[in-house]
C-alpha cells in the first residue's frame, strides 16, 4: 500500500529531471531546507510552455533512451580514454632517475616527472568541468585530447629539464579532461540501476592505467630505445585514442542537446517559435556565475560538509598511497631483491590484479540495489553504497603492513611482498568506487561540485607523495615506512562504518544533500503501519 503525497511526487520528479539533465552540476543553489528536504522553487511549480524539454519519456534524442549497445560502446570509449591518460601519469615514473642524469639534474627533479603531471590534474577540473557544461562534452574532449597529444612532443624532444617539466604539466592539464568529464557522460546516459556497473568499469580504468605505466616504462627505459621512447609510445597511444574519440564520441550533455533543439525550432519557424528557449540558454554564464559554480561552491562544500571533508581526506590518502607505490616498489624490489628496473615494473601486475578484483566486486555488492531503487522510489539511502568501502578499508591496512614487514627482509621470498600488492590494489578500487558512488547519491544534482573539490585535494596529495616517498622509505626503512602509512589508513578505516550508522543524521544537517530518502522513509513507515492496521482488523 502506498500513500499518495503530491508534494513528494513533485520533489522526486524534479530531482530525477535535474540530476538527469545536469549530470550532478545544477546551476541553481539549493533553497533552505523545509521539513528536512530542499523545496521546489516557486518558478518551477508552473510549467513554462515556451521552455524546450524532451518529447515525452521515450524521446529518442534523450541520451537516457539510447540503445544499450550504444551506451556500452560510449562507456567502453570512456574507459579507453581514462586508461590512456592515467597510463601517461605513471609511465615515466621509472625513468625519472635516467632523465635527471641525462640533464645533470638532481634526483628529486626526476621525481617531479610524475608529480608535475598530477599538478595539472589539480588545475584542469576547474576548466574542463565548466567548459563541458557551457559548450558540451564532445567539443571539450576533442580540443583537450588533441592538445594532450601534441604536448607529448615537448617531452620526447626536450633538451633540458625545464622544457620537459613545463610540457609535462601542460599534458596533465589537458589529460584530466576525460577524468573530469567521463563520469558526467556515464550519468548522462545511464539510469541509477545500471550506473553502478558502468561507474565500476570506468573506475577500473582510473587504476589500470597507472599500473600499466611502470611496466611499459621500465622495459622501454632499459631497452636500447631509451627513456624518450616512453613518451613516443605514450603519444602513439594517445593519438589512437584521440582519433577514435573524435570519430565516435557523441554529445551526451542534455542541457546542450536541448539548447540545440531550441535553436533548430527557432530556425525552422522564426516567428512562431520566437519565444522558445532552453533553460541552458538562460543560465548564468557570466564570469561571476562560472566562478561561483567552479570554485566558490566546491570550496564552500569542502569547508561546510562533514561527509565531503572526511571522504576527501580518506580518498586523498588512498590516492597518495597509489602514487607512492610508483617510487616505493622499485626501491623495495631493486634494493632488497636485486631486481632490475624492468623486473620491478612487473610487480605492478599485482596491483592491477587487485584493482580489477576490487572493481569486479562492486557488481555483486550492488546486486541488492535494483530492489532498493524500486522500494525507495528511485532514491535509496546513500549509505547502501558503502558496502565496498567496509571491505576495502581494513583490507588496505592489512596490505600496507603485509608489504612493509615482508618487503624489508631479503630472506623472505620476493613473491610474498609482491602478493601484498593485490589486497592494496583491491582496497583502492573498493574504497574509491564505494565512496564516489556515495557522494553521487548524497549530493545528487550538486555531486559535480563535490567531485571537483575531492579531485583537486586528492590530486595535490597524489602529487606530493612521490616527492617524499623514497626519502621516507630510506630513513625509516621499508617496514616502518609502510607501518606509518598503515596506521594512517587504520585511523580513517572506521569512516565507512561511521557513515553507515550516522550518515543519515549528518545528511539532515547538510545544505546540499536533498535527503529525499528520509521523506520516502516516512511514507514507507506510514504504508506499513496502515497495512498492519488493516491486517489486525481482518
Amino acid at each position: 500500500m502506498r500513500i499518495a503525497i503530491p508534494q513528494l511526487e513533485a520533489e522526486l520528479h524534479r530531482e530525477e529531471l535535474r540530476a538527469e539533465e545536469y549530470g550532478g552540476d545544477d546551476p541553481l543553489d539549493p533553497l533552505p531546507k523545509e521539513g528536512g528536504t530542499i523545496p521546489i522553487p516557486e518558478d518551477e511549480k508552473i510549467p513554462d510552455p515556451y521552455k524546450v524539454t524532451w518529447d515525452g519519456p521515450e524521446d529518442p534524442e534523450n541520451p537516457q533512451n539510447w540503445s544499450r549497445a550504444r551506451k556500452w560502446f560510449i562507456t567502453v570509449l570512456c574507459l579507453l580514454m581514462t586508461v590512456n591518460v592515467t597510463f601517461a601519469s605513471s609511465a615515466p615514473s621509472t625513468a625519472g632517475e635516467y632523465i635527471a642524469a641525462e640533464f645533470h639534474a638532481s634526483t628529486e627533479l626526476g621525481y617531479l616527472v610524475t608529480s608535475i603531471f598530477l599538478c595539472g590534474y589539480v588545475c584542469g577540473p576547474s576548466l574542463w568541468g565548466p567548459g563541458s557544461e557551457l559548450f558540451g562534452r564532445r567539443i571539450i574532449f576533442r580540443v583537450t585530447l588533441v592538445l594532450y597529444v601534441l604536448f607529448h612532443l615537448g617531452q620526447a624532444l626536450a633538451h633540458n629539464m625545464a622544457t620537459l617539466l613545463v610540457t609535462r604539466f601542460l599534458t596533465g592539464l589537458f589529460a584530466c579532461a576525460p577524468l573530469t568529464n567521463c563520469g558526467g557522460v556515464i550519468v548522462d546516459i545511464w539510469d541509477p540501476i545500471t550506473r553502478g556497473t558502468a561507474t565500476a568499469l570506468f573506475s577500473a580504468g582510473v587504476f589500470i592505467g597507472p599500473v600499466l605505466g611502470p611496466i611499459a616504462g621500465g622495459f622501454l627505459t632499459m631497452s636500447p630505445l631509451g627513456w624518450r621512447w616512453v613518451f613516443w609510445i605514450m603519444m602513439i597511444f594517445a593519438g589512437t585514442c584521440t582519433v577514435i574519440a573524435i570519430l565516435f564520441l557523441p554529445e551526451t550533455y542534455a542541457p546542450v542537446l536541448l539548447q540545440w533543439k531550441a535553436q533548430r525550432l527557432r530556425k525552422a519557424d522564426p516567428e512562431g517559435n520566437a519565444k522558445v528557449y532552453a533553460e541552458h540558454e538562460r543560465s548564468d554564464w557570466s564570469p561571476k556565475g562560472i566562478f561561483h559554480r567552479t570554485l566558490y561552491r566546491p570550496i564552500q562544500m569542502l569547508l561546510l560538509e562533514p561527509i565531503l571533508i572526511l571522504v576527501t581526506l580518506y580518498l586523498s590518502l588512498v590516492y597518495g598511497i597509489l602514487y607512492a607505490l610508483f617510487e616505493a616498489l622499485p626501491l623495495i624490489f631493486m634494493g632488497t631483491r636485486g631486481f632490475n628496473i624492468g623486473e620491478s615494473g612487473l610487480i605492478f601486475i599485482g596491483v592491477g590484479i587487485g584493482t580489477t578484483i576490487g572493481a569486479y566486486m562492486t557488481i555483486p555488492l550492488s546486486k541488492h540495489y535494483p530492489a532498493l531503487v524500486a522500494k525507495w522510489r528511485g532514491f535509496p539511502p546513500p549509505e547502501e553504497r558503502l558496502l565496498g568501502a567496509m571491505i576495502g578499508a581494513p583490507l588496505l591496512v592489512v596490505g600496507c603492513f603485509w608489504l612493509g614487514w615482508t618487503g624489508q627482509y631479503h630472506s623472505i621470498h620476493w613473491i610474498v611482498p609482491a602478493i601484498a600488492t593485490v589486497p592494496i590494489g583491491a582496497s583502492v578500487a573498493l574504497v574509491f568506487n564505494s565512496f564516489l558512488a556515495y557522494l553521487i547519491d548524497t549530493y545528487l544534482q550538486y555531486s559535480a561540485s563535490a567531485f571537483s573539490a575531492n579531485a583537486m585535494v586528492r590530486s595535490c596529495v597524489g602529487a606530493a607523495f612521490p616527492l617524499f616517498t623514497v626519502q621516507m622509505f630510506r630513513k625509516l626503512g621499508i617496514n616502518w615506512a609502510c607501518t606509518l602509512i598503515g596506521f594512517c589508513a587504520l585511523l580513517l578505516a572506521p569512516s565507512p562504518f561511521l557513515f553507515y550508522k550516522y550518515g543519515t543524521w549528518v545528511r539532515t544537517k547538510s545544505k546540499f544533500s536533498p535527503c529525499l530518502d528520509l521523506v520516502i522513509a516516512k511514507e514507507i513507515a506510514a504504508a506499513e503501519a496502515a497495512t498492519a492496521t488493516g491486517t489486525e482488523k481482518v
Side-chain angles (χ1 to χ4, degrees):
M1 179 179 177
R2 176 176 289 165
I3 298 175
I5 304 179
Q7 183 181 356
L8 175 59
E9 296 291 348
E11 289 179 5
L12 294 178
H13 183 63
R14 179 182 186 271
E15 293 298 330
E16 288 172 357
L17 290 179
R18 303 297 291 187
E20 179 182 310
E21 287 187 16
Y22 286 97
D25 193 20
D26 197 319
L28 302 176
D29 275 354
L31 296 174
K33 286 186 174 180
E34 295 178 1
T37 62
I38 298 172
I40 301 173
E42 290 296 327
D43 59 354
E44 291 187 23
K45 293 182 179 179
I46 302 174
D48 187 343
Y50 296 108
K51 179 180 172 181
V52 172
T53 58
W54 300 119
D55 296 332
E58 304 300 326
D59 188 345
E61 290 188 14
N62 185 345
Q64 294 275 331
N65 295 327
W66 291 349
S67 69
R68 289 183 66 85
R70 188 182 187 191
K71 290 180 182 181
W72 279 117
F73 175 79
I74 294 170
T75 303
V76 171
L77 188 52
C78 288
L79 170 66
L80 179 64
M81 290 190 292
T82 305
V83 169
N84 176 248
V85 298
T86 52
F87 174 86
S89 71
S90 65
S93 62
T94 51
E97 292 187 13
Y98 292 81
I99 295 171
E102 180 165 330
F103 293 139
H104 306 290
S106 66
T107 304
E108 284 72 21
L109 278 178
Y111 301 148
L112 272 176
V113 171
T114 299
S115 295
I116 200 71
F117 187 94
L118 295 178
C119 288
Y121 280 11
V122 178
C123 303
S126 298
L127 298 173
W128 315 135
S132 73
E133 292 148 16
L134 177 57
F135 302 109
R137 315 250 191 234
R138 184 173 62 180
I139 187 64
I140 294 298
F141 279 130
R142 289 180 174 181
V143 172
T144 56
L145 287 175
V146 168
L147 292 172
Y148 160 65
V149 172
L150 293 178
F151 276 111
H152 280 84
L153 289 171
Q155 300 161 74
L157 300 174
H159 293 293
N160 55 66
M161 199 69 176
T163 301
L164 190 145
L165 291 179
V166 168
T167 53
R168 185 87 176 128
F169 169 78
L170 292 172
T171 305
L173 179 70
F174 293 110
C176 75
L179 291 176
T180 304
N181 293 333
C182 281
V185 171
I186 290 172
V187 173
D188 292 341
I189 63 177
W190 287 110
D191 60 82
I193 295 176
T194 316
R195 191 182 301 154
T197 303
T199 301
L201 185 64
F202 161 69
S203 299
V206 175
F207 308 119
I208 290 174
V211 167
L212 294 176
I215 298 173
F219 283 107
L220 282 168
T221 302
M222 284 183 57
S223 74
L225 295 173
W227 63 264
R228 291 183 186 273
W229 265 92
V230 175
F231 296 104
W232 288 121
I233 293 297
M234 285 162 50
M235 185 175 181
I236 293 169
F237 185 17
T240 303
C241 293
T242 299
V243 170
I244 294 172
I246 289 174
L247 292 177
F248 299 111
L249 186 66
E251 180 57 61
T252 62
Y253 190 48
V256 169
L257 292 173
L258 290 171
Q259 178 181 324
W260 293 353
K261 181 179 180 181
Q263 291 169 349
R264 289 197 307 270
L265 291 172
R266 290 195 299 264
K267 185 177 180 180
D269 187 357
E271 293 185 7
N273 294 329
K275 295 183 179 181
V276 166
Y277 73 97
E279 183 178 356
H280 190 62
E281 296 173 308
R282 298 191 178 181
S283 296
D284 183 5
W285 292 109
S286 66
K288 180 181 178 181
I290 293 174
F291 175 82
H292 178 86
R293 290 167 59 188
T294 60
L295 287 177
Y296 176 77
R297 186 195 286 170
I299 293 173
Q300 179 189 22
M301 292 179 68
L302 187 62
L303 294 176
L304 300 179
E305 296 288 322
I307 289 175
L308 182 59
I309 293 170
L310 197 52
V311 169
T312 298
L313 282 174
Y314 198 1
L315 293 188
S316 297
L317 174 66
V318 172
Y319 204 63
I321 291 173
L322 179 65
Y323 277 91
L325 289 176
F326 301 138
E327 307 299 336
L329 290 185
L331 188 149
I332 293 172
F333 289 92
M334 294 171 67
T336 64
R337 304 304 196 280
F339 283 26
N340 61 40
I341 194 169
E343 292 168 343
S344 69
L346 291 174
I347 301 300
F348 285 91
I349 292 175
V351 183
I353 292 171
T355 54
T356 303
I357 292 171
Y360 174 78
M361 285 178 66
T362 303
I363 298 174
L365 288 172
S366 301
K367 278 190 174 180
H368 68 304
Y369 214 72
L372 288 176
V373 169
K375 177 181 177 181
W376 291 86
R377 317 277 294 280
F379 296 93
E383 287 71 30
E384 293 296 333
R385 296 288 195 184
L386 294 172
L387 299 180
M390 292 180 182
I391 298 172
L395 201 59
L396 179 62
V397 178
V398 171
C400 288
F401 283 107
W402 181 352
L403 178 64
W405 289 93
T406 59
Q408 172 71 26
Y409 307 103
H410 62 83
S411 57
I412 299 175
H413 195 278
W414 65 266
I415 195 66
V416 179
I419 293 175
T421 61
V422 176
I424 291 176
S427 64
V428 167
L430 283 166
V431 170
F432 255 82
N433 287 342
S434 186
F435 272 127
L436 292 182
Y438 182 54
L439 289 181
I440 290 174
D441 287 2
T442 296
Y443 295 110
L444 292 176
Q445 70 266 44
Y446 302 105
S447 60
S449 294
F451 273 28
S452 178
N454 181 275
M456 286 189 285
V457 174
R458 78 168 188 258
S459 294
C460 285
V461 174
F465 261 67
L467 298 179
F468 63 79
T469 298
V470 172
Q471 296 90 326
M472 180 176 71
F473 271 71
R474 285 176 177 166
K475 287 288 179 67
L476 298 179
I478 295 168
N479 50 357
W480 289 110
C482 285
T483 297
L484 176 60
I485 295 173
F487 275 124
C488 291
L490 181 62
L491 181 66
L492 293 171
S495 301
F497 301 93
L498 292 174
F499 281 141
Y500 193 82
K501 185 171 183 179
Y502 300 109
T504 301
W505 178 81
V506 175
R507 285 189 290 114
T508 61
K509 311 300 179 184
S510 167
K511 174 183 177 181
F512 292 93
S513 180
C515 295
L516 290 175
D517 60 297
L518 301 183
V519 183
I520 297 169
K522 294 178 182 177
E523 182 190 0
I524 292 173
E528 291 176 349
T531 302
T533 302
T535 304
E536 289 175 2
K537 288 181 179 180
V538 172

